[in-house]
Amino acid sequence: MIEVRNIDKSFGSLEVLKQVSLTIRDEETLAIIGRSGSGKSVLMKHLMGLITPDRGEVIVDGVDINAVSYGELRQLRRKFGMLFQGGALFDSMSVFDNLAFPLRTFSDLAEEEIRARVEENLKEVQLEGVEDKNPAELSGGMKKRVALARAIALTPQYIIYDEPTSGLDPETSNTINDLISSLSTRSNVTSIVVTHDMHSVLAIADRAAFIHDCDIHWVGTIEEMHAADDPTLNAFVRASEYQIGAPGRTASPYDAN
Amino acid sequence: MLERRILAPIEALGQYVLLLTKAFQSLSEVRVYRKNLFKQMVAIGIESIPIVALAGLFSGAVLTVQTAYQLESPFIPQSIIGSIVVPSMVLELGAVVTGFILAGRVGARIAAELGTMRVTEQIDALEAMGLNSIGYLIVPRVLAGVFMFPVLYITATGVGIGGGLGVAHYGDFLSAGEFVAGARQFFSPFDPIFGLLKAFVFGFIITSVACYKGYYTGGGAEGVGRSTTEAAVLSCVYILFANLALAVLIL
Ligand SMILES: Nc1ncnc2c1ncn2[C@@H]1O[C@H](COP(=O)(O)OP(=O)(O)OP(=O)(O)O)[C@@H](O)[C@H]1O
Ligand SMILES: [Mg+2]
């Protein structure tokens, strides 16, 4: 379980998070939604101590991650897999080495086993034959999928996906959503998905948290979201709903409402 | 405002010392860094050999021609040219020329590399995996610097002396025999040790300053550009100071 308690975060004079509290339950899939620039990525980085809050605590499985030693923090981070919004692939390494890197560093697998694992991981994200390419040679969507494969390589307990489907075509998006869903049904996997894409939220999430005005403005289950009478949340969802109804998108439960 | 001006450099120095302390505290995890160290030794050391040799060659040759020009007198034995050129290369030029060239070549490269990793979140990605990014990125680069700079210094100095000897002989200033005899006459075994020490210090300065600038890059592509320039310029300045300090303290 991850508990975010009353965190504040500013960059210079820019306040990004104010008194944010959020509980992420074990084995759930939580969607984080909100407008661009509302602080979703910043909040995600707080969850694994990549950013320290100005005030407040982040508790992961009972441990205050900003109060423990760096060594302990590193141990804790091994429970996480994170897909960064920009991919964050190591551009000095080939795709294969990017995926093999966590395995080589943190597991005792032999090189052949690593090769098999990497190929399997790439197949899961529908990429094949790109092992020897450099990240710079990949398209944006391919980078994202390689980064996703790297994030889940060590089968982490907490998986954070920062906009896993942005920049992907609808069909590939569906595959990625299916992959996230199937990973999230494994035992002891908690997924946190940052997304703009309401279609993803409906397809994969148990609950959603809506960030607005430096705060978690609304949090609840997907059913509760349908019924919510919060004007700001409704406006955000309706704006996305319009996109869902657009050509090339699959129908959503909203279309029936 | 004035307060900031005075405090900012002190803060920066503190941050720099802290960064290096953190880096070398993680020296125990050498297993993870070993492969990286080898890669950096190639990138910093081996790949710099041609440019450093070229610079050394020309320094030695020019120094010889100009010394000969300055000392053109029937009362001075021409072998003195060898006695001047060789210690100058060994004590000063070999290390300083190597230092300046590598401040640009190695310093800028390291700062750009780490700066790009910072702004594209690759450093965050290393941390997120549970790696110590400071140790992983900085230790191999600084170690490669202090190991390889002495090698590059030897290359520059050796080639430089060779260049001086060649110009002396084929340019009809003095014979190779006289040049060598002159060099031997005033040779002190401490000179090359001092030169190696300089190279060692310069290697540390260039790589550590570049790592510091690169690691703490902020603000996108522009930030990377700024870090790169600052790394090259600052390491040149620090080399000048270190050069003087070493000479005053040790000679
Ligand atoms: N390292 C940083 N330094 C300064 N400001 C930052 C930093 N990181 C984020 N910010 C600012 O914090 C705010 C929130 O950024 P964040 O990346 O969390 O937005 P986001 O909700 O993820 O947006 P998007 O959906 O576009 O990714 C932005 O205004 C951004 O400019
Ligand atoms: Mg974001």
Side-chain angles (χ1 to χ4, degrees):
Chain A
M1 192 169 75
I2 305 178
E3 289 165 84
V4 175
R5 291 189 192 151
N6 300 319
I7 60 172
D8 286 351
K9 183 69 193 179
S10 311
F11 294 104
S13 59
L14 176 75
E15 279 190 307
V16 180
L17 301 174
K18 255 190 302 198
Q19 290 290 304
V20 169
S21 297
L22 176 68
T23 300
I24 300 165
R25 301 172 189 156
D26 281 341
E27 305 202 9
E28 77 169 335
T29 299
L30 175 69
I32 309 281
I33 55 176
R35 301 180 64 169
S36 184
S38 57
K40 303 183 294 293
S41 299
V42 169
L43 179 61
M44 291 307 104
K45 288 186 185 169
H46 277 90
L47 299 184
M48 44 198 313
L50 296 173
I51 296 182
T52 10
D54 300 335
R55 265 171 301 280
E57 289 125 43
V58 177
I59 316 285
V60 175
D61 296 338
V63 180
D64 179 346
I65 63 169
N66 296 301
V68 294
S69 74
Y70 182 55
E72 286 167 85
L73 175 62
R74 286 171 60 197
Q75 281 302 322
L76 265 170
R77 283 174 175 166
R78 307 257 299 268
K79 294 184 177 180
F80 286 82
M82 176 146 178
L83 164 63
F84 285 83
Q85 190 169 0
L89 293 175
F90 302 126
D91 48 24
S92 60
M93 299 179 194
S94 68
V95 167
F96 178 83
D97 288 336
N98 262 282
L99 294 184
F101 184 78
L103 301 170
R104 284 179 183 147
T105 314
F106 295 112
S107 76
D108 301 321
L109 294 179
E111 201 55 31
E112 295 129 58
E113 292 171 284
I114 289 178
R115 179 157 288 278
R117 277 281 283 278
V118 167
E119 269 163 24
E120 190 184 316
N121 284 340
L122 280 173
K123 219 173 275 168
E124 276 183 325
V125 295
Q126 296 207 323
L127 283 174
E128 271 165 89
V130 295
E131 286 91 336
D132 299 325
K133 287 197 176 11
N134 272 325
E137 297 172 88
L138 301 180
S139 77
M142 289 161 93
K143 276 184 205 158
K144 193 124 237 182
R145 283 180 282 161
V146 173
L148 175 55
R150 187 181 67 182
I152 58 181
L154 287 169
T155 53
Q157 176 187 346
Y158 296 105
I159 315 180
I160 302 175
Y161 307 87
D162 199 342
E163 309 206 358
T165 57
S166 69
L168 298 183
D169 62 275
E171 227 180 309
T172 316
S173 293
N174 286 339
T175 324
I176 297 300
N177 284 335
D178 291 346
L179 174 64
I180 295 174
S181 288
S182 83
L183 286 172
S184 70
T185 57
R186 284 189 195 164
S187 73
N188 205 20
V189 168
T190 306
S191 316
I192 303 125
V193 189
V194 176
T195 181
H196 286 296
D197 182 354
M198 205 48 70
H199 182 64
S200 298
V201 176
L202 301 173
I204 58 185
D206 304 315
R207 292 197 306 149
F210 174 51
I211 303 196
H212 181 74
D213 234 357
C214 308
D215 193 11
I216 306 276
H217 184 81
W218 186 89
V219 54
T221 63
I222 302 302
E223 293 77 49
E224 285 165 350
M225 190 168 75
H226 296 321
D229 58 357
D230 183 306
T232 330
L233 174 69
N234 287 345
F236 182 84
V237 173
R238 252 201 317 279
S240 320
E241 195 182 338
Y242 172 72
Q243 289 188 339
I244 293 170
R249 297 286 186 146
T250 31
S252 84
Y254 284 104
D255 297 344
N257 287 351
Chain B
M1 193 60 219
L2 183 70
E3 201 180 280
R4 283 280 340 133
R5 283 233 180 114
I6 297 170
L7 284 181
I10 298 175
E11 254 172 48
L13 182 68
Q15 207 184 18
Y16 167 80
V17 172
L18 199 67
L19 182 73
L20 290 179
T21 316
K22 279 187 189 158
F24 283 92
Q25 271 169 357
S26 70
L27 211 55
S28 54
E29 294 168 66
V30 76
R31 188 186 74 84
V32 186
Y33 311 145
R34 206 181 43 213
K35 226 175 89 191
N36 229 356
L37 175 63
F38 183 73
K39 216 169 111 186
Q40 292 303 327
M41 284 171 79
V42 172
I44 291 175
I46 309 297
E47 289 175 11
S48 297
I49 286 179
I51 180 71
V52 161
L54 190 74
L57 179 74
F58 279 84
S59 313
V62 171
L63 187 63
T64 305
V65 174
Q66 294 186 350
T67 309
Y69 165 78
Q70 286 176 307
L71 297 181
E72 204 164 16
S73 151
F75 304 110
I76 300 174
Q78 288 298 292
S79 66
I80 202 88
I81 296 172
S83 325
I84 291 176
V85 168
V86 172
S88 301
M89 280 309 297
V90 172
L91 274 176
E92 173 72 9
L93 277 175
V96 171
V97 164
T98 306
F100 277 141
I101 290 200
L102 295 191
R105 191 186 177 278
V106 169
R109 179 176 166 280
I110 290 177
E113 205 178 353
L114 296 193
T116 306
M117 290 189 75
R118 166 64 72 195
V119 302
T120 56
E121 298 182 320
Q122 293 175 52
I123 293 184
D124 279 336
L126 285 172
E127 285 285 325
M129 287 177 188
L131 249 94
N132 178 344
S133 65
I134 294 180
Y136 181 77
L137 294 172
I138 294 179
V139 170
R141 284 174 173 78
V142 175
L143 285 185
V146 298
F147 290 152
M148 294 313 283
F149 268 54
V151 174
L152 294 168
Y153 156 77
I154 293 171
T155 308
T157 308
V159 175
I161 292 172
L165 187 95
V167 165
H169 190 76
Y170 293 106
D172 272 341
F173 297 100
L174 70 164
S175 75
E178 283 177 290
F179 188 93
V180 172
R184 282 189 147 166
Q185 199 174 358
F186 295 99
F187 179 79
S188 141
F190 178 70
D191 291 359
I193 294 173
F194 184 64
L196 279 172
L197 176 70
K198 269 188 182 177
F200 184 84
V201 171
F202 294 172
F204 179 79
I205 289 176
I206 291 174
T207 48
S208 63
V209 167
C211 283
Y212 167 70
K213 283 289 167 193
Y215 192 83
Y216 290 116
T217 297
E222 198 193 334
V224 177
R226 198 178 326 117
S227 299
T228 307
T229 318
E230 282 177 8
V233 173
L234 281 181
S235 26
C236 283
V237 173
Y238 294 151
I239 284 177
L240 290 172
F241 281 114
N243 195 27
L244 179 64
L246 285 175
V248 170
L249 291 174
I250 295 182
L251 289 187

